[in-house]
Amino acid sequence: MKLEDLIYQIKNKDSFLCIGLDSDINKIPKYLLNEDDPIFSFNKSIIDHTNKYCVAYKVNTAFYESLGAKGWVSMKKTVDYINNHYPEIFTIADAKRGDIGNTSKMYAQSFFVEMNFDSVTINPYMGSDSVKPFLEFENRIAILLGLTSNTGANDIQLKTTNNDDFIFMEMIKSSKDWGDKNNIMYVVGATKPVHIRKIRSIIPDHFLLMPGVGAQGGDLNEICKYALNDNIGIIVNSSRSIIYASDNETYASAAADQAMILQNKMKVILSERK
Amino acid sequence: MKLEDLIYQIKNKDSFLCIGLDSDINKIPKYLLNEDDPIFSFNKSIIDHTNKYCVAYKVNTAFYESLGAKGWVSMKKTVDYINNHYPEIFTIADAKRGDIGNTSKMYAQSFFVEMNFDSVTINPYMGSDSVKPFLEFENRIAILLGLTSNTGANDIQLKTTNNDDFIFMEMIKSSKDWGDKNNIMYVVGATKPVHIRKIRSIIPDHFLLMPGVGAQGGDLNEICKYALNDNIGIIVNSSRSIIYASDNETYASAAADQAMILQNKMKVILSERK
């Protein structure tokens, strides 16, 4: 997908919501376990009920891999279903991959070609040659970890360098020139609003993928204050608080209700900017 | 596998060789493409011909994922084959995973339970809560990126902090206390011998997984000078220079020859220490 198509969709839907399909076989409604592919059945209903409120779906690969090859089948069916039925929606493989060049090239092949995702999240700890293979695909986007939403971000990302800057800031400063705003986005945790203004000062135009609203406690209005730009410039992800809104037959409509509530908040925020 | 069983095997075989199964559908002998599962057929022959020279096989997940779910089937068949036929061999999923706690827990489930690997490589950039879920499994080992063999290691790992230490050194210093030598190893690139002595001074007893000998140019004698400890304490990986030693019908015996050459060098190094 071209970045401009994502921006068009955001403005058209008054939404910058991404729904995280962290679909866990132990958490989906029990009656679905009788289906051939319970995870895909769950995702399909969630997607059918929520797509008008969101602009992106994020597939967390860990939840699929926990079921082995069968999980990869469910993941492929899920992304194919989105691409075939809702081609305007932006798809994200939340895979946090990254390795030496010849190996990253294989991961790029996996997520961009074999699985046909629009984007994949990348762990940049191994540096430029681990990221660049993901930047060689037209209309595909590498989403680099900028600053993550968890407490462990303190252990490396928030260490201070001898240039008196945070590691995550130095990483963003170098990596923004490995590609451009059309093929790089950054993950910036919604639980860390204090850092967003500094991040925006060095990458005013790049899109930010912001997880951490909902179960992890991030505040939507707070992050929007610092993160929005002229093209909106953010995608806010919520996973558990949407997809597990109910654990019975009403799960898909309950998910739609939660998605609508978040989308309405986004609409208000966007209208106040006009 | 218990660490002591790995140490016993190393001393018994006079080998600390790991063979990397970076099995690429575009590089394996062409005639194998007629088989039902060319990647598994390739791996099976490599394993049957080389197991007496090595103590571990490392499966690089990227090469399997590049084929989607089918690749995950080949990966599962490969690790099952090793576990069933050569149970003394240590298996490594070279997956470089790591995410927030609830997601890392799913990755641990995937590689330790569903796929049944003895160990998995972890990217520690997201910090302690991204690593700890991998440390909760008995007789399974998390192999954290210490210092990688690629040039991109300069971009984050080799940055200097305001404590005048490298990021990778601070990471090793903190993380060694998240578990112990029985459930944590470190990846240390064989291309960076200058740093190995410093690493050994802070983790004298942990095992190091050392890639980069062979195609990447690391020198076996040089790294052994600094890295060996009383329990040997290292596993040296070679992938491409062994498994692609020949591109025709002789590939498995050519791989065995290359593995034997490396194992002989290891035997000499070990005998000189006695």
Side-chain angles (χ1 to χ4, degrees), chain A:
Chain A
M1 182 182 288
K2 281 193 198 326
L3 187 67
E4 63 204 57
D5 293 335
L6 172 62
I7 295 169
Y8 174 82
Q9 190 197 176
I10 290 173
K11 294 184 173 173
N12 194 39
K13 282 183 173 171
D14 281 323
S15 171
F16 44 91
L17 177 62
C18 173
I19 296 178
L21 299 170
D22 296 16
S23 307
D24 181 344
I25 195 79
N26 299 308
K27 286 192 186 160
I28 64 174
K30 294 284 168 270
Y31 74 94
L32 289 175
L33 302 180
N34 301 320
E35 305 263 337
D36 279 350
D37 185 340
I39 294 292
F40 175 65
S41 294
F42 177 80
N43 288 349
K44 184 175 170 301
S45 290
I46 294 276
I47 292 163
D48 285 337
H49 284 75
T50 60
N51 68 84
K52 63 182 160 190
Y53 305 117
C54 68
V55 295
Y57 288 106
K58 180 168 80 64
V59 170
N60 184 330
T61 56
F63 289 76
Y64 299 80
E65 291 178 25
S66 73
L67 304 174
K70 204 171 56 180
W72 268 68
V73 170
S74 306
M75 174 159 57
K76 176 68 175 156
K77 282 157 75 178
T78 300
V79 68
D80 283 350
Y81 188 77
I82 299 168
N83 286 336
N84 292 332
H85 292 79
Y86 309 104
E88 74 283 5
I89 299 252
F90 183 67
T91 54
I92 303 169
D94 193 3
K96 307 217 168 54
R97 298 301 199 264
D99 206 309
I100 63 172
N102 81 317
T103 298
S104 274
K105 197 173 155 183
M106 298 306 269
Y107 281 128
Q109 167 76 19
S110 174
F111 291 104
F112 291 155
V113 182
E114 178 66 25
M115 301 299 282
N116 204 11
F117 281 97
D118 292 314
S119 66
V120 59
T121 58
I122 308 293
N123 185 322
Y125 189 56
M126 290 182 65
S128 58
D129 54 335
S130 72
V131 174
K132 287 179 179 167
F134 293 97
L135 304 177
E136 289 168 8
F137 292 75
E138 206 176 356
N139 300 329
R140 307 282 169 164
I141 297 179
I143 309 179
L144 276 58
L145 297 186
L147 178 60
T148 60
S149 56
N150 61 325
T151 55
N154 293 309
D155 293 323
I156 299 181
Q157 299 165 51
L158 284 163
K159 286 257 194 274
T160 304
T161 70
N162 59 356
N163 294 327
D164 201 29
D165 211 348
F166 292 118
I167 279 292
F168 83 88
M169 287 291 283
E170 291 211 5
M171 194 284 298
I172 294 174
K173 284 176 189 170
S174 328
S175 61
K176 70 184 172 56
D177 298 323
W178 299 342
D180 59 39
K181 70 180 165 69
N182 291 303
N183 61 5
I184 296 180
M185 293 185 183
Y186 290 91
V187 175
V188 176
T191 58
K192 306 265 191 313
V194 66
H195 296 293
I196 297 173
R197 195 200 302 247
K198 285 182 70 179
I199 291 173
R200 266 292 177 232
S201 73
I202 43 173
I203 44 166
D205 299 324
H206 284 72
F207 258 77
L208 309 181
L209 170 63
M210 310 191 85
V213 165
Q216 293 182 63
D219 181 78
L220 184 65
N221 285 292
E222 182 74 9
I223 59 173
C224 284
K225 226 186 291 177
Y226 306 115
L228 289 175
N229 67 18
D230 290 345
N231 282 321
I232 315 305
I234 65 175
I235 303 172
V236 169
N237 183 74
S238 188
S239 304
R240 287 169 273 180
S241 59
I242 292 179
I243 67 171
Y244 301 131
S246 152
D247 62 358
N248 59 37
E249 287 77 358
T250 67
Y251 75 93
S253 60
D257 290 346
Q258 293 305 313
M260 188 186 67
I261 290 170
L262 264 174
Q263 185 266 324
N264 273 331
K265 288 183 186 169
M266 291 174 178
K267 189 175 176 176
V268 170
I269 290 169
L270 293 178
S271 70
E272 286 170 351
R273 286 171 56 85
K274 279 173 189 165

